Structures are given as C-alpha cells and as structure tokens.
Amino acid sequence: MAGSWLMISDLDGTFLNSSGKISSYSKRALARMIREGAKITFASARTCATIGPMLNGLVLPIPVIIMNGSACYDFQTQKFLRCKQIPYPVAAEILGLIRSLGLNCFTHCLGEGRLDIYYDALRHPTEESFYQERKDLALKRYHQESPPVGKETVYLSILATDGQILQAADLLKKLPCSQEINASHYSDVYHPGYSFLEIYHKDASKKNAVLAYREKYQLPVAVFGDNLNDLSMMEIADRSFAVGNAVDAVKQQADEIIGTNDEDAVAKTMEVLFYKA
C-alpha cells in the first residue's frame, strides 16, 4: 500500500546538499509527497530557528525532531513538544568542565516561544562563522552571559577542533553527572578538522523520539542518515539508509547505502518507498 512508511531524515549531510541547502528537486518531491499524504519529517541536531527558513513554505505533517531529540517542534502551532531538560546543577557541572578546557559552550534554554542561548566568548573563526549565520534568526536569541541561576537547560553544544572535542567527550564521561546525560560528538560536515560535542538529557535522543513517533502513528519507520548522531535512530528503524557520503560507521549500520546528498538520494528513495510500497 502506498504511503505505508513513516520516513524520517537527518538534515546536514543527508537531506541537505553539500551547500547546506534543500535542492529544488528534493523540495518539489517532498511537497508533492506530503500533499498526497506522505508521513515525513526530519531529525536533526539543528534548532527550529535554523530549520524553519529551509522549509520555506513546506508544511510538514509531523513535528520535527530537533537538537538530537531534546525536543520536537511543531511549525504549524509554533510549539515545543516532548522537551527533555537538564537540571540546573547538572548543566552547571558540565559548563564548569567545558570552561576549564578553555572552550565555549552554547547553552540552550527554553524562553518565551523561542530558545535563549547563552555563551561566554567565541574562540575561533569557525565558531564565529557558526554564530554569525544564526544570531539574527527568529525563534532564538543569543546572550553573552552565563545562564540564569536555576534555569533548566535543554541542550549544550560545543564546536571545537577534533582533538579538543575528543578530550572533552572523554572527560565528560568521568563527571559525577555522566549518568544523567546523553552526549554525541561528530564531525562538522562544513568545516573539516572541527567537530561538535552535544549534550542533552539522558532520555533525549533521536532514537527515543523516533520510537515515540512509531508508536503514535503505528507505521514502520524508514530513516536516513550520514553521521554518528544518526546511529541511535538507525539501530531501531525498520529500515535504515545511509547516504553515499556517510561516515563508515553509519554505512555499516544501514540496511542499504544510497546515493550522496548531492544526488537527491534521500528524496528519490522516499519516492520509491511512498509510491511503490
């Protein structure tokens, strides 16, 4: 039966091309499938603020999984859903470690209909570029100051060199609060030599968000990914696809390797699943 899949794709390096855009072909294909009843959404490390402009008129039928599963966001109602927040003492302990390494951390907290993001100082040009691309977007506001005392945190993100991120990830595992969090580190696909370390509540993950959607919609799930933070959802998917440019660990986990993100491979595979299922 056509449309018998719930299809969930990562964005950067997967659905987005190497320029960080949704191609015209993929956008048209997505719009057409959604009009005809396809159940499609995205699962990304991005926030709602950076995803919104990319959709540009597309009305997704299912809220997007954002910040690696720390929350979901419904663009139709403009509401955060399924938020899993880190208690203030835990976030403060993590922030202390990151600062001790001389690194900056973007601490994401829920504000009034937006994300409030706190940071100390930008440490390198890649981080500066990351900030400049996002600082004026709707649905988020940056503050160069410490997070308010007592404020829960939904997401912490660090962008630094590969070596710095590996060191931070290793030390994070040794913190007393390590059992209270999930953490994921993976390469920045747009800046070779740099990686992200992203930290969130222990119950927040792409995997758990996808499981909740599978239960809600009672449909088998097909997922698409390219990087290490996609592995958790690929492990529990009914069918998983790695784009041709994916890292080796993702290719090894996937049921099938498809074309690259510059070949509209995800949209084309979705069309096959939707129209020929």
Side-chain angles (χ1 to χ4, degrees):
M1 176 178 141
S4 61
W5 289 91
L6 169 58
M7 296 179 282
I8 303 175
S9 177
D10 173 56
L11 281 169
D12 292 278
T14 305
F15 202 85
L16 304 184
N17 60 27
S18 56
S19 298
K21 308 291 184 183
I22 299 178
S23 76
S24 56
Y25 177 93
S26 289
K27 185 167 286 188
R28 288 195 303 270
L30 198 66
R32 181 174 63 252
M33 287 186 283
I34 290 171
R35 284 197 305 269
E36 296 178 17
K39 296 290 190 294
I40 298 173
T41 195
F42 297 111
S44 176
R46 286 179 176 265
T47 68
C48 51
T50 56
I51 294 173
M54 293 176 177
L55 300 180
N56 191 23
L58 287 172
V59 181
L60 295 175
I62 298 170
V64 176
I65 299 166
I66 60 174
M67 299 180 289
N68 279 332
S70 297
C72 297
Y73 189 77
D74 188 333
F75 283 97
Q76 297 187 59
T77 63
Q78 297 186 325
K79 290 183 178 179
F80 292 99
L81 308 169
R82 298 192 71 255
C83 299
K84 305 291 183 181
Q85 300 194 70
I86 301 170
Y88 176 77
V90 174
E93 184 179 358
I94 295 166
L95 192 55
L97 169 64
I98 300 305
R99 285 170 168 166
S100 75
L101 297 173
L103 302 178
N104 179 53
C105 180
F106 293 107
T107 302
H108 298 63
C109 301
L110 295 183
E112 292 296 326
R114 65 169 190 268
L115 288 168
D116 285 314
I117 303 170
Y118 301 89
Y119 70 101
D120 293 331
L122 305 175
R123 307 294 188 189
H124 50 80
T126 299
E127 194 173 45
E128 177 73 35
S129 174
F130 178 89
Y131 167 75
Q132 290 295 335
E133 290 172 1
R134 292 160 172 78
K135 66 183 180 67
D136 296 322
L137 292 173
L139 302 180
K140 64 166 55 176
R141 183 176 297 172
Y142 283 88
H143 310 266
Q144 192 172 0
E145 58 184 287
S146 295
V149 174
K151 183 76 171 176
E152 290 185 315
T153 295
V154 70
Y155 193 61
L156 299 104
S157 179
I158 302 96
L159 172 59
T161 66
D162 295 341
Q164 289 172 320
I165 290 299
L166 287 173
Q167 180 190 23
D170 183 59
L171 292 173
L172 188 65
K173 296 174 185 176
K174 300 174 183 178
L175 288 181
C177 69
S178 61
Q179 299 304 308
E180 300 300 315
I181 57 173
N182 267 334
S184 175
H185 62 88
Y186 56 93
S187 299
D188 180 348
V189 298
Y190 304 114
H191 300 98
Y194 286 84
S195 292
F196 289 98
L197 173 60
E198 291 168 337
I199 304 156
Y200 31 97
H201 189 276
K202 65 179 180 178
D203 295 330
S205 66
K206 287 186 177 183
K207 171 183 174 180
N208 287 342
V210 170
L211 284 171
Y213 278 168
R214 182 163 63 187
E215 181 177 353
K216 178 177 180 178
Y217 293 99
Q218 292 295 297
L219 288 172
V221 176
V223 303
F224 302 81
D226 78 304
N227 217 328
L228 299 179
N229 61 331
D230 299 318
L231 286 173
S232 71
M233 69 175 181
M234 298 182 83
E235 290 169 359
I236 53 86
D238 297 286
R239 196 166 176 188
S240 59
F241 299 87
V243 285
N245 52 288
V247 299
D248 289 342
V250 172
K251 289 180 177 178
Q252 292 166 8
Q253 178 66 45
D255 296 317
E256 185 177 337
I257 300 172
I258 57 178
T260 71
N261 63 325
D262 284 324
E263 298 172 317
D264 297 301
V266 174
K268 291 174 180 176
T269 304
M270 285 180 169
E271 288 179 306
V272 171
L273 290 173
F274 182 66
Y275 293 111
K276 298 183 179 180

